[in-house]
Amino acid sequence: DTKFSYSSVKIIEFKNITSVKIFPNPASNVLHLRINLSVQNAHLKIINAKGQLVKELTVTSGNSTIPIRNLSSGIYLGDISGNDGTIKFHFVKQ
């Protein structure tokens, strides 16, 4: 089938996740997140370059330390989702 269709463009406004800082980047043992949320908890997923979910946990507003020692070296996608949206970031595991 060679048919295709277009979807509408959506604008997502982040009300609960106002900022995320990730350090150090690149990281080897732990990744520190500084998250400013207006909700208590958010869901963090870490996905490798193959698109596989490798870590999943709940993070809270403020500072979080994520152990990444067991991850293989490479580039990862972080996905933090709260009630009103999702924010994505990349980091490098050495």
Side-chain angles (χ1 to χ4, degrees):
D1 185 11
T2 59
K3 296 180 182 179
F4 64 91
S5 63
Y6 293 99
S7 61
S8 60
V9 175
K10 303 285 183 188
I11 297 173
I12 301 172
E13 185 176 326
F14 300 105
K15 293 179 183 173
N16 287 342
I17 302 175
T18 57
S19 71
V20 175
K21 294 184 181 187
I22 300 101
F23 58 94
N25 194 7
S28 54
N29 295 320
V30 294
L31 187 67
H32 299 281
L33 303 176
R34 185 170 295 145
I35 308 167
N36 184 4
L37 297 169
S38 61
V39 294
Q40 194 64 15
N41 296 316
H43 192 73
L44 168 66
K45 293 180 184 178
I46 297 178
I47 300 161
N48 65 16
K50 296 178 183 178
Q52 299 166 322
L53 179 66
V54 294
K55 192 176 262 309
E56 193 170 18
L57 57 143
T58 299
V59 292
T60 59
S61 187
N63 297 326
S64 295
T65 301
I66 312 302
I68 59 168
R69 180 180 308 234
N70 295 334
L71 298 180
S72 300
S73 296
I75 299 173
Y76 290 85
L77 169 69
D79 183 307
I80 300 174
S81 58
N83 291 342
D84 285 344
T86 300
I87 191 162
K88 296 180 187 307
F89 62 91
H90 289 88
F91 69 94
V92 175
K93 164 63 165 78
Q94 292 183 322

